[in-house]
Amino acid sequence: MIAFTRHLLPAALLCSALAAQASEVLKGDFWVVHYQGALGKNQVFIADGDPTHIVNRPGGAKSLGVYRLYEEPGKPDFTSYDVEIDCAKNRVRVVGAADFRSVFNGFRNTKYSSQWQSKPDAWLVQSRDFVCKPTERQAKKMEHLGVMSASQMSKAGPHFFEILNREAAKTAIMQKIDEGFAQMPAK
């Protein structure tokens, strides 16, 4: 029963209706492990680094909950991934994924490849490094959000997107300024 409960922990953590009914709200230790996208289409990947939520799997692998928050309209509010990591063999794969949409107030399974990735996406590499190289988290620009409930973590998405959009706008402005200076005649 404990193994079954731990397998469903990521879904239980993120389902605010279940958390609200629980006498004690479950909390995680959340970290931003990766972000990607462009203005208005950003995605933030958040891992739960609470040692009690990282589950040991057969063969020495570990299971980690990673949550992808979307800024783009029409996308799910977030996708919850069960990521399996084998540090000894330096490999990673997804073993479960579900989208959450507040419109339906529930999870729906989504497509994923359960194969060990030969060329994993950047967010999977960062998730692997999060577990396998914990002393390098700061050097790899992983941001510690702190201990909080999953509902608090999921509500942080708009703040991340504001920051990412502000940085993208600054970069675009600086690029235009640099282009302007490059077109000026030399004296």
Side-chain angles (χ1 to χ4, degrees):
M1 182 70 173
I2 291 174
F4 179 73
T5 305
R6 283 189 178 176
H7 182 67
L8 293 177
L9 187 59
L13 279 172
L14 290 173
C15 187
S16 58
L18 287 177
Q21 293 175 2
S23 60
E24 187 177 310
V25 177
L26 294 174
K27 294 188 176 194
D29 185 16
F30 296 104
W31 289 72
V32 174
V33 294
H34 182 72
Y35 54 88
Q36 63 189 30
L39 191 61
K41 297 181 179 184
N42 288 301
Q43 298 174 13
V44 175
F45 295 83
I46 300 174
D48 183 357
D50 186 323
T52 61
H53 298 165
I54 299 174
V55 180
N56 291 323
R57 294 262 173 95
K62 295 181 182 206
S63 177
L64 173 73
V66 178
Y67 310 96
R68 175 189 246 174
L69 282 65
Y70 300 91
E71 178 182 28
E72 190 174 357
K75 295 279 188 181
D77 294 359
F78 61 84
T79 301
S80 172
Y81 295 97
D82 183 5
V83 179
E84 190 171 87
I85 298 161
D86 186 343
C87 294
K89 295 181 181 175
N90 197 33
R91 58 187 187 165
V92 62
R93 69 178 174 174
V94 175
V95 293
D99 290 335
F100 180 83
R101 293 181 188 264
S102 57
V103 174
F104 305 120
N105 194 29
F107 286 92
R108 292 191 178 181
N109 289 337
T110 189
K111 293 181 181 180
Y112 63 91
S113 170
S114 62
Q115 301 297 314
W116 291 106
Q117 301 294 306
S118 59
K119 294 182 181 179
D121 291 339
W123 73 272
L124 284 170
V125 171
Q126 288 289 89
S127 298
R128 181 189 63 211
D129 291 347
F130 178 80
V131 172
C132 300
K133 302 173 183 174
T135 58
E136 296 179 17
R137 290 177 183 169
Q138 298 295 335
K140 293 185 177 274
K141 299 183 181 177
M142 297 180 193
E143 297 290 330
H144 187 228
L145 300 177
V147 176
M148 64 185 80
S149 70
S151 62
Q152 288 172 308
M153 179 275 298
S154 67
K155 290 176 185 172
H159 179 66
F160 295 129
F161 301 139
E162 285 177 21
I163 293 168
L164 291 171
N165 286 328
R166 188 171 35 239
E167 291 302 315
K170 284 180 189 176
T171 301
I173 290 169
M174 292 306 294
Q175 183 178 357
K176 290 290 184 188
I177 291 170
D178 289 343
E179 289 171 4
F181 279 125
Q183 293 177 2
M184 291 177 74
K187 289 186 178 183

